[in-house]
Amino acid sequence: MTGTMNAQLIDRSTAESYATWFKALSDPTRVQILNLLALAPEAMSVGEIVEQVGVGQSTVSHHLKLLADVRFVFRERQGTSILYSINVACVACFPSAADAVMGRPGAARDVG
């Protein structure tokens, strides 16, 4: 047995939230976009993201929608543009989610 006796089974609702998060990161382009936004000093437009990740605008827009749906990124309208930035609070929960799934004691289970 590799689990820890102090760990608790996560409830179904939490498991569903975590699965959604993991699914959002199941594509290498989404991982690159998230990494780019995490490193960016300020919010970025779709065009700026396209230039950095080297895929088409419609593909980047699709991936940004999925990342925004799980709250990994924020969208902010400025005039006719939408700017994207990392949601530090949500992304900070991701390592705790992985710890909880792996049964590591003390892992946070708040998926807010």
Side-chain angles (χ1 to χ4, degrees):
M1 183 179 218
T2 60
T4 303
M5 296 305 288
N6 295 334
Q8 296 177 347
L9 183 65
I10 56 178
D11 61 77
R12 184 66 181 191
S13 175
T14 300
E16 288 171 355
S17 293
Y18 289 173
T20 301
W21 291 357
F22 294 131
K23 183 178 179 182
L25 294 179
S26 68
D27 182 278
T29 301
R30 286 194 291 271
V31 171
Q32 283 185 302
I33 291 169
L34 201 58
N35 178 244
L36 175 64
L37 292 174
L39 296 173
E42 56 190 34
M44 298 178 74
S45 69
V46 172
E48 293 169 322
I49 296 167
V50 166
E51 289 176 13
Q52 295 292 317
V53 297
V55 297
Q57 183 272 328
S58 62
T59 300
V60 168
S61 293
H62 169 75
H63 288 307
L64 285 167
K65 180 194 178 319
L66 295 173
L67 291 169
D69 287 349
V70 295
R71 298 183 316 243
F72 281 169
V73 299
F74 290 126
R75 292 183 268 215
E76 178 186 344
R77 181 168 295 280
Q78 281 194 351
T80 59
S81 296
I82 297 177
L83 300 180
Y84 293 86
S85 60
I86 195 81
N87 178 352
V88 176
C90 189
V91 175
C93 292
F94 191 77
S96 294
D99 284 342
V101 169
M102 297 310 295
R104 294 189 180 113
R109 286 187 167 70
D110 180 19
V111 295

